[in-house]
Amino acid sequence: ALVMEVVCPRCQTSTFQKPQMKLLVNVCGHRLCDVCVDAVFIHPTAHCPECGRALRRANYRVQQFEDPRVDKEIDVRKSILRDYNRRESDFKSLRAYNDYLEEIETIVFNLTNGIDVEETKAKVETYRKKHKQEILKNRARASREDAAVAALIEAEKQEEIDRRRRSMLVDLEEKKMREDVHQRMLDELIISDKSAKDVIAAHSSLLTERSSLSADKEKIVRLVTGHDYYLGLESDAAEEFVYQPLVFDSCGPAFPSSDSLESIGYLSHIRCSDDSQLACGYSLEIACQRAIQDAFSGLFYSVTYTESK
């Protein structure tokens, strides 16, 4: 993709000359390179080199979008929505809420594009003073909701950690059990008079019985924390699936089988398939059977036939 060359308006350094140059954008939508920002903001405040607006170093941030106006609009929208924070439930009608949203978009558009800036700022300030208590109330409500969401996310993370810990404990216990059974089998093979086949069979049966952690999923696993957790209930064994062919009453004559289509001569009227179509699953028999089904279906249909069926 073609990347546009960007030039710092103060030092005239371009991204072509210095590819690692970082462009920072301020709240008024104008940008400077990181070197110029450090040079201009030796003191706590300074003026924007392009529009002369008084700014602080904190007003600059890394440019996220190619067009700095997009970054400016994002900053303006965040600032406006801190005060214009009413919701649909706060209005008596949907029309009133939509008018409120349209007013917000008009304010954001004007401040972003420099249209009636002073008048728009005065309008925002008037709204802020008039609805001060409501703004604070809505901010507090949003903070509580954000805290609840954060708590829910944290609880889900902790639940995932506990689940992994339980799974790890189960795996470790089962591995230890298998190693113990295996070692006992080796010891018995050395000292026992039984045949190796009988010893192996006996310990295989013991291993199956002691694999309760994986076979019996209702068993409780007690963690080091002292809490009890269930691994879940084992679902009932489902019956083995048996395919039942679809019974289709076409209200017409019986369809010829796919094996007899070629001998009858029906396939000669079907367009031949190339390799790519065969790879996708297309076959002459399928196309021919579909055409025959469409032609035969409903030939015997009548009210008397339907009632007799």
Side-chain angles (χ1 to χ4, degrees):
L2 181 62
V3 179
M4 296 180 59
E5 181 181 358
V6 182
V7 179
C8 174
R10 183 175 181 272
C11 65
Q12 300 300 314
T13 303
S14 66
T15 53
F16 177 78
Q17 298 170 326
K18 189 178 179 182
Q20 69 274 17
M21 179 181 66
K22 292 182 180 180
L23 284 174
L24 305 180
V25 64
N26 58 34
V27 293
C28 58
H30 300 131
R31 52 193 175 189
L32 288 176
C33 68
D34 52 346
V35 177
C36 289
V37 170
D38 294 335
V40 171
F41 286 90
I42 299 177
H43 302 288
T45 60
H47 294 279
C48 175
E50 293 195 39
C51 65
R53 179 178 176 179
L55 299 171
R56 294 180 176 272
R57 175 64 177 83
N59 294 132
Y60 280 89
R61 59 181 177 82
V62 178
Q63 182 176 336
Q64 300 294 330
F65 300 91
E66 183 177 349
D67 189 347
R69 289 175 298 181
V70 178
D71 293 88
K72 180 181 179 180
E73 180 182 346
I74 293 176
D75 291 335
V76 171
R77 187 175 298 275
K78 287 182 179 179
S79 176
I80 295 302
L81 291 181
R82 281 182 53 83
D83 297 327
Y84 284 76
N85 52 10
R86 300 174 68 184
R87 302 184 180 182
E88 183 178 355
S89 57
D90 299 329
F91 294 87
K92 296 181 179 180
S93 64
L94 180 60
R95 177 60 183 271
Y97 179 61
N98 289 333
D99 292 341
Y100 176 76
L101 295 179
E102 185 176 355
E103 181 183 1
I104 294 176
E105 294 302 320
T106 302
I107 293 174
V108 172
F109 181 82
N110 290 346
L111 295 180
T112 302
N113 296 278
I115 302 175
D116 300 332
V117 176
E118 296 302 326
E119 180 181 347
T120 304
K121 288 184 178 180
K123 181 179 180 180
V124 173
E125 185 63 26
T126 302
Y127 176 87
R128 184 183 295 116
K129 293 179 180 179
K130 182 178 179 180
H131 300 85
K132 181 178 180 180
Q133 296 299 326
E134 185 179 2
I135 291 173
L136 296 177
K137 179 181 177 181
N138 291 336
R139 287 181 183 177
R141 179 175 60 181
S143 299
R144 290 194 300 268
E145 292 176 353
D146 293 341
V149 172
L152 180 60
I153 294 176
E154 185 64 27
E156 291 179 351
K157 290 181 179 179
Q158 186 61 41
E159 183 179 355
E160 178 65 18
I161 294 174
D162 293 340
R163 186 191 65 79
R164 293 182 179 180
R165 186 185 305 168
R166 296 196 299 269
S167 178
M168 183 180 64
L169 290 176
V170 170
D171 293 340
L172 290 176
E173 186 172 348
E174 185 173 358
K175 180 180 179 181
K176 182 179 179 181
M177 180 268 297
R178 290 182 177 275
E179 292 176 351
D180 182 58
V181 172
H182 183 69
Q183 185 61 41
R184 290 187 181 185
M185 182 183 67
L186 294 179
D187 295 340
E188 189 171 352
L189 286 174
I190 296 175
I191 63 176
S192 177
D193 295 334
K194 299 180 180 179
S195 64
K197 183 178 180 180
D198 295 338
V199 173
I200 294 175
H203 282 79
S204 297
S205 176
L206 178 63
L207 181 63
T208 302
E209 294 177 359
R210 295 185 60 180
S211 296
S212 57
L213 289 178
S214 57
D216 185 9
K217 293 187 178 181
E218 289 184 322
K219 184 171 181 179
I220 298 177
V221 179
R222 182 175 294 276
L223 301 179
V224 293
T225 55
H227 299 287
D228 292 337
Y229 294 92
Y230 285 92
L231 296 181
L233 299 178
E234 185 176 6
S235 59
D236 297 335
E239 297 181 359
E240 184 178 357
F241 173 76
V242 179
Y243 172 72
Q244 298 291 342
L246 178 64
V247 178
F248 175 68
D249 185 6
S250 63
C251 297
F255 307 141
S257 62
S258 58
D259 298 332
S260 62
L261 292 177
E262 185 174 3
S263 61
I264 298 175
Y266 287 168
L267 294 183
S268 60
H269 302 284
I270 303 298
R271 176 174 55 85
C272 296
S273 57
D274 54 27
D275 294 339
S276 61
Q277 292 172 335
L278 291 175
C280 296
Y282 174 82
S283 67
L284 299 179
E285 290 78 5
I286 294 177
C288 185
Q289 284 181 327
R290 176 175 293 181
I292 293 175
Q293 179 178 340
D294 291 342
F296 286 7
S297 296
L299 291 180
F300 296 163
Y301 176 79
S302 66
V303 177
T304 304
Y305 177 83
T306 305
E307 291 178 352
S308 63
K309 294 299 285 186

